[in-house]
Amino acid sequence: MEVAHATHAEVAAQRQPGRVARTLRSSIGSKTLMAVTGLGLLAFVIVHMLDNLQIFLGQERYNGFAAFLRSTGPLLWILRIGLLALFVLHVGAAVKVWRANKEARLEPYVFRASVRTGYAARTMIVSGMIVFAFVVYHLLHLTFGLTHPELFALRDPAGHHDVYSMVVLSFREWPVTVSYIVAQVLLCMHISHGASSAFQTLGITHPRWLWLKQGFGPGVATFIAAGNIAIPLACWIGIVQPGTGA
Amino acid sequence: MDFTLHVWRQAGPDQPGHMELYQARDISPDMSFLEMLDLVNEDLEKQGIEPIAFDHDCREGICGMCSLVINGVAHGQQPATTTCQLHMRHFRDKDSIYIEPWRAAAFPVVKDLVVDRSAFDRVIEAGGFISVNTGSAQDGNCLPVPKDAADTAMDAAACIGCGACVAACPNGSSMLFVAAKVAHLAHLPQGQPEKRRRVLAMVEQMDREGFGHCTNHYECEAVCPKEISRQFIAEMNREYLKAGLQAH
Amino acid sequence: MQLDARIPAGPIEAKWDRHKAELKLVNPANKRKYTILMVGTGLAGGSAAASLAELGYNVEVFCFQDSARRAHSIAAQGGINAAKNYQNDGDSVRRLFHDTVKGGDFRAREANVYRLAQVSASIIDQCVAQGVPFAREYGGLLSNRSFGGAQVSRTFYARGQTGQQLLLGCYQALARQVAAGRARVHPRTEMLDLVVVDGRARGIVTRDLVSGAIRSWAGDAVVLATGGYSNVFFLSTNAKGCNVTAIWRAYKRGAGLANPCFTQIHPTSIPQAGDYQSKLTLMSESLRNDGRVWVPARPGDTRKPADIPEGERDYFLERMYPAYGNLCPRDIASRAAKRVCDEDRGVGPGGRGVYLDFRDAIQRLGRAVIEERYGNLFQMYERITGEEPYATPMRIYPAPHYTMGGLWVDYNLMSTIPGLYVIGEANFSDHGANRLGASALMQGLADGYFILPYTIGDYLAGAGPSRIPADHAAFQGAQAEVAGRQRRLLAINGRRSVDSFHIELGKLMWNKCGMTRSAASLKECLERIPQLRAQFWEDLRVLGTGDTLNQSLEKAGRVADFLEFAELLALDALQREESCGGHFREEHQTPEGEARRDDQNHCHVSVWEHQGPDRPPQMHEEPLQFEHVPLATRSYK
C-alpha cells in the first residue's frame, strides 16, 4: 500500500498560523476536543445535579433558585450558548472519531473477544446517542414545557413559575420516571469511561494524578447517577410532595 | 492433544476470505503454537491442500514477525507472549481454536494470515529517529543519562513492532506503537532537539495511514507481548498537544 | 583465484589510519550517480545502508522479512564489546584485539581484528547518539558487564535486548534516509542470484515474495549482508528464514567461500524437547556470569536437582577450567557439556542437558538483583519449558548459533569478485575459528558504520559509474536461470515436504558434522548429502504456484542451496586435519580431550572456488601470519 510521507514542509506548515486548527483536526486533536468538552459538560452535569438536589429543601427554595437563575438574564444566555457549543463540539468530535474508527476496521473478527475493555467503553457511541435523545426530551419536558403544558403553567404562591411542582408532578407518571432513570444509568456508563478517559487523552502521567484516570470516572459517574436518580425516585414514591398552589 | 481449528483462508489481497475447518491431531503440550501449525501444514500438504500462510521468523519472541489473532485475542490469551512463544500446554484438549489475521484497514491481508504492516515503517520514516550521521557522535559518556530516564526509554523501546496493539484495538488504532517510539526518544537527552517535529510528523503519518483513533480501551496494553504501558500514550497526547498548540 | 588480502603496510596500530588516508574518494556531487545494492538489513546491512545513503549514494535495500527491522540481529541478547576501558580494569584496543585473536584460535587475520578493536569504541558513541537505551549507572554513565572469554568488563548492553536496540538504531537511521529519498527498502524481496558482467558484480536478481515477480537490479556495487548458515543444521538458534542462498549464489558466480567448517555451537540453548521442534532458543551467555554449570557426579543419576547434595554435583567448567570457570569460551564450554552428557551424566528428557544454576547467585545477591539482570530471560525460559528458573536450575545444551566461515573478503571487505562486498556474519573475516560473546554485534556494526563506507568509495571512484542496464544479456540470462529453477521446484510434484528434507539434512549434519567431527563421519556426510540432494529433486512436493506468496516455494529454494552447501562444509571439515575453535576433529585432540591445532599445516584460511556443476571445487590457501599475538595453545585453565 502506497501512502505518501508527511514531509518536512508539511510539518513545518504545522508551525505556521492555523496550526491550532490543524492540530485539533488530527486524531489526537479530535479526542482532545472531545475530552475538554466532555469535562466541561461533566462540570455542568455536576452543578445541575447539585442545583436540583435543592428539591429536597422544599418548594420555596427550589423555585426561588429558578427565579434567581432567570433573573441573571444575559448571563444565563451566555451560559446556555456556551453549553450548547460544548455539546455540539462534543457530539461533532464523537461522530468524527466514530466514523474514522469504523473505517479503520472494515472486516470484523469472526471470533470476538476483549481482554480488558469494558461494556461502558465499547458502547460510548450508543450511550452517548441515548443520552443525546434524553437531553432533547428533557429540554422539551422541563425547559420548553412542551410535553406537559398543563404542569408548565403552574404558579407558586409567590407568583413564580412553579418549577418545583412541575417536576414533582411529572415524576408521578411512571413512564417519565423510568425514562429518566434509564437515561441516568446510561449517562453513568458514559461518564464512567469518559471522565477517566479524558484525563488519559489530556496526557496525565504523574503518579499523583493517576487516580483521575482510574477511579475518578466510575466514582463521579456513580455520584451523579445517585443524585440524579434520587430526584425522580423520591418524587415518584412520594418522599417529595407537590407544593402548595399546585 | 487434539484441536479443531477454524482458520482464515484468503488467496490474495483483493480476494474474499473465509474460515476453513481443520483438525490438528497428536499435538504435544510442549509444542509452540506455530509448531502446531507446522504440523497441520505438513498434513495439509500430504492431502494436496496448499499450506496455511502465516508470518514468523525468529520464533523466540523478539522479531515481531508472527501475528495471529487466536480466539479473538492478538497473540492469544497468554499475557506478555508472542504467538511463537505461546505453547499448547495453555490450551485444553479438544478445544476449538479460531485463528485470524490482524484485522485493520491499515494492515491489508496479503494472504491467509499474512498482513502488510508497512504502514508502521512509514510512521517511523516520518520521524521515529534521531538525526545523527555516522561518525559525528561524541564520546558515549559525554552526556550522562539519568538511570531512570534510560530505564523508561528502554521500557518504551522494547516494542517489537508486531502490530498486536492495532489488531486488538477495537478502533484499529496504532497509538501504542507510535507512542512507544515517541516516548523512547523523548526520554533521552539525545532526542530533545527533534522532540516537537518528531511527534507532529509521526502522528500526521499515523492518521494518514488510516489507523483509527484511540478511545482508551487499553486492549493494546493488555495484548502487548512486551507490556508497553498505556502511560506512553498519555505522554504522546501531551507532547503532541504541546507541540501543536504552542507558538514556536 | 587470486587471494590478495590487500593488508596495508606499516605497524598494526597505524594500518587502518594510513589506509583510510590512501583510499580514493568519490566527489560528493557524484555520489548520487552510484547505486549500491544492499542485501540484508541486519546490523551490518542496516548500518551500512544508512551510512552509505548519508554519504549521498543511491541505495537499494532488500530483505526477505516484511520490514527492515526484523533481521535476526534483533535476537542477540547479551551485549556488544567495545574497548572503552570505562571500568578502569585494564582494557584497551590491544587487549580486545588479543582476546579476539586468541578466542578465534588463531585463524583470523590480525590486521582485520586489530581494526575491529580500534573502531569498536566509535560504535558505542554512534549508538548512544542514535538513542540506543544502553544500561546506565545511577551517575548516568554507561554500564558494563563481563562476558565469556574475557577477563575485563567491556560489554555494553540494553537489558537482554541489546541486538534489538542496536538494530532499531540502524533501522531508524535507515528510515531517515528513506524519508530523505536516498534509500529505498524492498521488503519481502529475496535475492536469488548475483549478476557478474566482465568480472565485476553488476547487479542481482530478486523475487518479490508477494507477487512472485522475478526482476533484475543493476548497480555499481553489490553488498551482501545476509548473515550466517547455521540453519544447515535445521535446528539452530537462527531465525527460520536465515539461509545460505545469497552467499551460495555468489559462490557459484565465482566468489571464494572461506572456512565453511567454522561453525559455532553455543553452550547455553534450551535443550530440544521433541522431534516436532522447529528451532532452538538461546539463553544469553551473560547468564554464565552468575549461573553455575553442573551435572550429577554419578552417571545415570535421575534424582531431582534439589535432591542432589553439593558433594555429588560436578561443577565441571569450574573444575576443568579454573581460571575462567563458567566464563570460558563457547567452543570449550559446549564440548565440555557434550562430554559430560556422553558420559551419561546429562539431565532432563533424553539426557542431553546440563544445569545452569542460580541458587548461589540468588543467595549472594538476592532475587531482586537477579531479576533485574536476567528477568526477561528467565521469563522466556519459563514460557518455553514451563519451569521456574528461580526455583529449579535451568537446563541448557549447546546449539548451532553462529558461523564464522563465509565469503572470503580482503581488508576492504571485498570478495574475490570486484564490486561484490560482504559484511557481517556473511563474511569470514574477524572471528577465526570461534567467535567470542558480544563480538558479532561489534563486527556487524564495525563493518557497516565504519569500514565499508570508506572502502567501497575507493572501488567506486576507480570503476566510475556503471553503464550496464538491467536488461543487459547477463541479467536476462540470470533471470531465466532463476525462473527455470523455480519452475523445476514446482514441477517435481513428488511426495515429500521441504521441511522433511531440511530436517533430514540437519540431523545428518548435526550428528556427523556438528560439535565433533571425524574423517569417518565426514566421509559419511559426503556420501549421503548427494543422495539426499538427488532425492530432493525427485521426490519434493511444493504446492501452489510461483506467482503468489508461496512460503513452501521460498523454503524449497533455500533448502536446495543448503543441500549443495552442506557438501562443501563437510569437505572443508574433512580437509582441515586439526581441531581449532568450533571445528573439533576427534582424531586431533590431546589426551585430556582438548583441541589440538596444527599450525604447521593449517595456519591458513581455506578458500573454496566453484568449478562448475560437475567438477569438485578447488581449494586455495591464504596463509595467516601472527606477529602480534604469538601462536600459542589456547588455555583457559
Side-chain angles (χ1 to χ4, degrees):
Chain A
M1 194 166 66
E2 285 301 323
V3 181
H5 281 106
T7 63
H8 289 252
E10 282 166 341
V11 172
Q14 207 157 350
R15 301 173 159 218
Q16 303 306 317
R19 65 177 186 276
V20 172
R22 196 184 164 92
T23 302
L24 291 180
R25 274 199 304 271
S26 72
S27 61
I28 294 180
S30 312
K31 275 165 38 68
T32 307
L33 215 53
M34 196 153 55
V36 171
T37 54
L39 290 178
L41 291 169
L42 175 65
F44 166 74
V45 167
I46 294 171
V47 172
H48 183 60
M49 177 195 73
L50 294 175
D51 290 349
N52 281 298
L53 284 176
Q54 295 182 71
I55 202 163
F56 291 102
L57 301 177
Q59 184 186 25
E60 202 184 322
R61 172 71 182 261
Y62 196 72
N63 286 351
F65 183 75
F68 159 72
L69 277 184
R70 271 193 303 278
S71 74
T72 55
L75 192 64
L76 181 66
W77 277 103
I78 291 172
L79 278 174
R80 280 175 168 166
I81 290 167
L83 196 59
L84 184 68
L86 285 183
F87 199 78
V88 168
L89 283 173
H90 189 73
V91 173
V95 169
K96 176 172 181 272
V97 168
W98 177 72
R99 283 175 56 181
N101 289 348
K102 283 270 139 202
E103 278 167 31
R105 174 160 302 128
L106 299 169
E107 177 104 43
Y109 286 108
V110 173
F111 190 114
R112 287 185 220 198
S114 48
V115 186
R116 185 162 306 165
T117 180
Y119 187 72
R122 275 181 282 130
T123 52
M124 286 300 274
I125 192 77
V126 178
S127 58
M129 285 191 307
I130 296 173
V131 169
F132 184 26
F134 165 74
V135 168
V136 172
Y137 168 69
H138 179 57
L139 290 174
L140 294 177
H141 175 202
L142 295 177
T143 306
F144 301 119
L146 294 177
T147 59
H148 297 74
E150 71 290 356
L151 297 179
F152 196 70
L154 293 173
R155 287 281 178 272
D156 70 1
H160 292 131
H161 171 34
D162 192 356
V163 184
Y164 177 84
S165 301
M166 172 176 73
V167 169
V168 177
L169 289 173
S170 33
F171 287 138
R172 289 282 158 94
E173 293 172 32
W174 69 266
V176 177
T177 306
V178 168
S179 69
Y180 267 69
I181 293 175
V182 168
Q184 290 311 310
V185 170
L186 287 161
L187 181 65
C188 172
M189 278 168 45
H190 197 78
I191 293 173
S192 73
H193 175 71
S196 288
S197 187
F199 290 105
Q200 165 82 359
T201 300
L202 293 176
I204 302 291
T205 51
H206 194 286
R208 180 190 283 175
W209 300 108
L210 283 188
W211 59 274
L212 285 172
K213 302 202 292 186
Q214 291 154 1
F216 174 72
V220 76
T222 312
F223 171 64
I224 289 168
N228 278 345
I229 289 174
I231 298 165
L233 208 58
C235 297
W236 189 27
I237 61 178
I239 294 175
V240 176
Q241 289 292 333
T244 48
Chain B
M1 302 168 96
D2 297 329
F3 302 101
T4 305
L5 306 184
H6 303 261
V7 183
W8 183 260
R9 302 298 309 252
Q10 183 173 340
D14 306 319
Q15 320 235 4
H18 63 281
M19 296 300 274
E20 190 81 54
L21 191 77
Y22 300 114
Q23 299 298 328
R25 288 184 214 290
D26 295 326
I27 301 299
S28 154
D30 287 329
M31 273 185 193
S32 73
F33 199 84
L34 298 186
E35 282 165 350
M36 184 270 293
L37 282 184
D38 287 343
L39 214 72
V40 170
N41 272 345
E42 188 83 27
D43 219 45
L44 292 181
E45 280 190 306
K46 269 190 206 130
Q47 301 170 40
I49 301 170
E50 230 192 293
I52 305 157
F54 60 90
D55 265 330
H56 65 99
D57 200 26
C58 79
R59 296 207 178 190
E60 50 186 279
I62 192 75
C63 75
M65 190 107 174
C66 63
S67 55
L68 303 179
V69 173
I70 301 164
N71 289 342
V73 180
H75 289 307
Q77 281 287 352
Q78 202 63 14
T81 305
T82 55
T83 298
C84 66
Q85 294 282 285
L86 175 66
H87 282 68
M88 299 314 293
R89 66 178 81 96
H90 299 296
F91 292 84
R92 277 189 317 255
D93 191 20
K94 309 278 186 284
D95 267 357
S96 276
I97 304 175
Y98 285 76
I99 309 172
E100 297 175 71
W102 285 173
R103 291 197 191 282
F107 288 168
V109 171
V110 173
K111 186 178 183 179
D112 295 346
L113 303 169
V114 175
V115 299
D116 175 358
R117 284 170 287 196
S118 55
F120 270 11
D121 289 323
R122 288 187 293 272
V123 170
I124 298 293
E125 284 156 16
F129 46 76
I130 289 171
S131 298
V132 50
N133 279 359
T134 304
S136 51
Q138 58 177 352
D139 185 89
N141 260 350
C142 276
L143 201 54
V145 182
K147 187 173 188 304
D148 297 343
D151 285 349
T152 309
M154 182 64 221
D155 288 341
C159 168
I160 58 174
C162 64
C165 44
V166 176
C169 176
N171 310 328
S173 162
S174 64
M175 288 284 276
L176 193 63
F177 168 79
V178 181
K181 189 46 66 192
V182 166
H184 158 209
L185 299 175
H187 275 272
L188 295 170
Q190 290 85 357
Q192 299 310 308
E194 294 167 290
K195 196 170 163 177
R196 284 179 165 183
R197 80 158 299 276
R198 176 184 305 121
V199 70
L200 292 177
M202 289 181 76
V203 170
E204 170 105 342
Q205 188 67 31
M206 171 181 89
D207 287 354
R208 209 176 272 201
E209 297 290 347
F211 291 109
H213 298 8
C214 171
T215 51
N216 306 323
H217 293 264
Y218 311 131
E219 284 290 307
C220 51
E221 186 190 44
V223 301
C224 176
K226 298 296 152 187
E227 300 181 291
I228 307 288
S229 165
R230 66 193 191 214
Q231 301 302 339
F232 293 128
I233 296 181
E235 226 178 278
M236 176 165 79
N237 289 335
R238 194 175 64 222
E239 295 296 334
Y240 178 79
L241 292 173
K242 267 203 309 206
L245 299 179
Q246 268 175 13
H248 296 284
Chain C
M1 181 175 279
Q2 282 298 313
L3 295 177
D4 178 2
R6 292 196 180 82
I7 295 169
I12 196 160
E13 298 82 4
K15 280 182 197 291
W16 177 232
D17 283 343
R18 177 187 291 193
H19 190 60
K20 277 195 287 188
E22 286 167 356
L23 289 170
K24 285 195 283 286
L25 297 174
V26 177
N27 178 313
N30 286 339
K31 285 202 176 95
R32 65 191 151 76
K33 294 179 189 159
Y34 292 93
T35 296
I36 297 169
L37 306 176
M38 179 70 58
V39 188
T41 59
L43 285 180
S47 60
S51 303
L52 291 168
E54 283 164 10
L55 288 173
Y57 296 110
N58 183 31
V59 187
E60 302 285 343
V61 187
F62 305 87
C63 64
F64 68 78
Q65 297 90 346
D66 77 330
S67 162
R69 65 179 291 151
R70 307 210 195 276
H72 198 56
S73 303
I74 207 159
Q77 299 166 352
I80 175 165
N81 285 334
K84 281 283 198 187
N85 194 31
Y86 283 155
Q87 304 304 321
N88 197 33
D89 58 358
D91 198 13
S92 63
V93 167
R94 188 101 201 164
R95 188 176 291 275
L96 175 54
F97 158 67
H98 185 280
D99 286 351
T100 308
V101 169
K102 180 185 165 198
D105 216 355
F106 301 92
R107 290 295 174 264
R109 243 187 239 147
E110 274 192 337
N112 283 54
V113 178
Y114 196 88
R115 174 178 63 185
L116 175 66
Q118 275 177 311
V119 302
S120 66
S122 309
I123 296 173
I124 301 303
D125 303 339
Q126 177 65 23
C127 296
V128 167
Q130 285 173 343
V132 170
F134 283 118
R136 301 264 170 179
E137 306 292 349
Y138 279 103
L141 302 184
L142 292 158
S143 177
N144 289 115
R145 55 164 66 141
S146 57
F147 230 70
Q151 287 179 317
V152 292
S153 275
R154 62 160 75 100
T155 304
F156 295 79
Y157 62 102
R159 297 212 182 123
Q161 288 120 285
T162 317
Q164 179 200 25
Q165 293 310 313
L166 297 176
L167 184 65
L168 293 182
C170 53
Y171 160 71
Q172 287 164 203
L174 177 57
R176 175 172 160 245
Q177 295 307 311
V178 172
R182 287 189 285 263
R184 271 156 306 280
V185 179
H186 308 280
R188 294 199 197 270
T189 304
E190 186 167 24
M191 168 187 158
L192 292 178
D193 214 342
L194 176 75
V195 179
V196 181
V197 183
D198 299 331
R200 286 175 187 267
R202 290 301 193 184
I204 59 173
V205 175
T206 62
R207 175 168 183 268
D208 179 326
L209 300 183
V210 176
S211 71
I214 292 169
R215 66 164 282 191
S216 296
W217 302 82
D220 295 283
V222 176
V223 185
L224 300 186
T226 53
Y229 47 82
S230 290
N231 276 348
V232 71
F233 296 104
F234 183 71
L235 280 181
S236 83
T237 65
N238 283 188
K240 294 296 285 174
C242 295
N243 64 78
V244 76
T245 291
I247 65 170
W248 187 247
R249 296 283 122 203
Y251 163 78
K252 292 183 88 170
R253 294 282 175 194
L257 213 163
N259 297 337
C261 77
F262 289 162
T263 55
Q264 179 169 74
I265 313 296
H266 194 291
T268 56
S269 151
I270 300 175
Q272 188 180 352
D275 285 335
Y276 50 79
Q277 196 145 338
S278 61
K279 83 153 261 156
L280 296 168
T281 303
L282 186 74
M283 289 281 99
S284 166
E285 185 165 23
S286 63
L287 291 167
R288 287 200 280 147
N289 283 335
D290 288 305
R292 298 179 70 194
V293 178
W294 65 276
V295 288
R298 182 161 54 77
D301 189 342
T302 54
R303 285 176 291 175
K304 279 198 229 126
D307 298 340
I308 302 178
E310 199 59 26
E312 294 174 42
R313 298 176 175 196
D314 178 14
Y315 294 91
F316 57 93
L317 289 179
E318 296 171 26
R319 173 173 58 79
M320 289 151 68
Y321 309 102
Y324 280 72
N326 295 299
L327 287 176
C328 66
R330 292 176 174 174
D331 53 339
I332 308 248
S334 292
R335 275 197 300 277
K338 178 177 190 292
R339 204 180 314 156
V340 295
C341 291
D342 288 346
E343 291 163 11
D344 194 24
R345 296 196 285 146
V347 298
R352 304 310 294 185
V354 300
Y355 289 125
L356 179 62
D357 199 339
F358 289 85
R359 186 195 59 184
D360 295 353
I362 290 171
Q363 269 168 19
R364 192 175 72 246
L365 303 164
R367 183 178 158 136
V369 174
I370 295 299
E371 208 168 319
E372 201 203 317
R373 283 186 194 165
Y374 311 111
N376 64 323
L377 299 172
F378 278 34
Q379 206 182 20
M380 189 162 155
Y381 181 85
E382 198 254 308
R383 212 161 278 149
I384 292 169
T385 61
E387 291 172 6
E388 243 274 49
Y390 295 103
T392 184
M394 281 186 182
R395 287 175 294 108
I396 54 164
Y397 196 67
H401 173 59
Y402 186 89
T403 54
M404 285 71 69
L407 289 180
W408 184 89
V409 289
D410 63 14
Y411 191 71
N412 290 332
L413 304 179
M414 189 163 82
S415 71
T416 54
I417 301 175
L420 176 68
Y421 286 80
V422 191
I423 57 178
E425 190 180 351
N427 74 26
F428 88 107
S429 73
D430 296 350
H431 304 298
N434 175 54
R435 180 175 65 75
L436 289 184
S439 286
L441 304 186
M442 172 172 68
Q443 185 224 336
L445 291 181
D447 288 0
Y449 281 135
F450 296 110
I451 300 172
L452 185 75
Y454 290 90
T455 59
I456 205 167
D458 184 60
Y459 168 78
L460 294 172
S466 162
R467 292 200 171 70
I468 295 167
D471 55 5
H472 183 275
F475 281 98
Q476 288 176 355
Q479 227 175 294
E481 270 181 57
V482 167
R485 210 168 123 84
Q486 186 173 301
R487 269 198 307 276
R488 286 214 321 278
L489 287 168
L490 285 164
I492 303 168
N493 204 14
R495 285 161 303 176
R496 286 180 61 180
S497 69
V498 188
D499 277 348
S500 76
F501 283 105
H502 197 176
I503 290 169
E504 192 175 339
L505 173 69
K507 269 194 188 143
L508 175 68
M509 295 304 285
W510 180 238
N511 292 330
K512 306 292 172 188
C513 189
M515 249 189 294
T516 67
R517 299 136 182 198
S518 68
S521 73
L522 291 168
K523 281 178 185 146
E524 195 182 330
C525 270
L526 290 171
E527 203 179 295
R528 281 179 52 193
I529 294 167
Q531 293 166 0
L532 189 59
R533 194 164 58 222
Q535 242 178 326
F536 175 88
W537 285 103
E538 273 163 23
D539 206 13
L540 176 73
R541 181 173 203 189
V542 178
L543 296 166
T545 60
D547 55 8
T548 64
L549 181 76
N550 187 338
Q551 293 173 320
S552 302
L553 181 63
E554 293 165 27
K555 280 193 282 189
R558 294 169 193 162
V559 172
D561 286 336
F562 273 130
L563 281 164
E564 293 179 10
F565 167 77
E567 197 175 346
L568 187 70
L569 197 167
L571 201 61
D572 187 49
L574 184 63
Q575 69 75 30
R576 192 167 276 280
E577 291 283 354
E578 64 165 351
S579 294
C580 62
H583 170 67
F584 190 85
R585 283 284 299 270
E586 282 161 16
E587 302 90 334
H588 306 287
Q589 52 181 313
T590 63
E592 305 95 68
E594 297 294 337
R596 182 185 281 146
R597 243 178 30 227
D598 180 356
D599 293 330
Q600 286 295 310
N601 298 306
H602 289 280
C603 193
H604 60 74
V605 180
S606 312
V607 188
W608 296 88
E609 184 183 9
H610 185 59
Q611 300 290 320
D614 306 317
R615 290 173 54 202
Q618 190 186 343
M619 198 190 89
H620 306 267
E621 290 178 10
E622 181 204 336
L624 292 169
Q625 273 109 37
F626 292 89
E627 293 163 9
H628 299 273
V629 188
L631 278 165
T633 303
R634 221 159 49 119
S635 169
Y636 292 90
K637 301 197 175 209

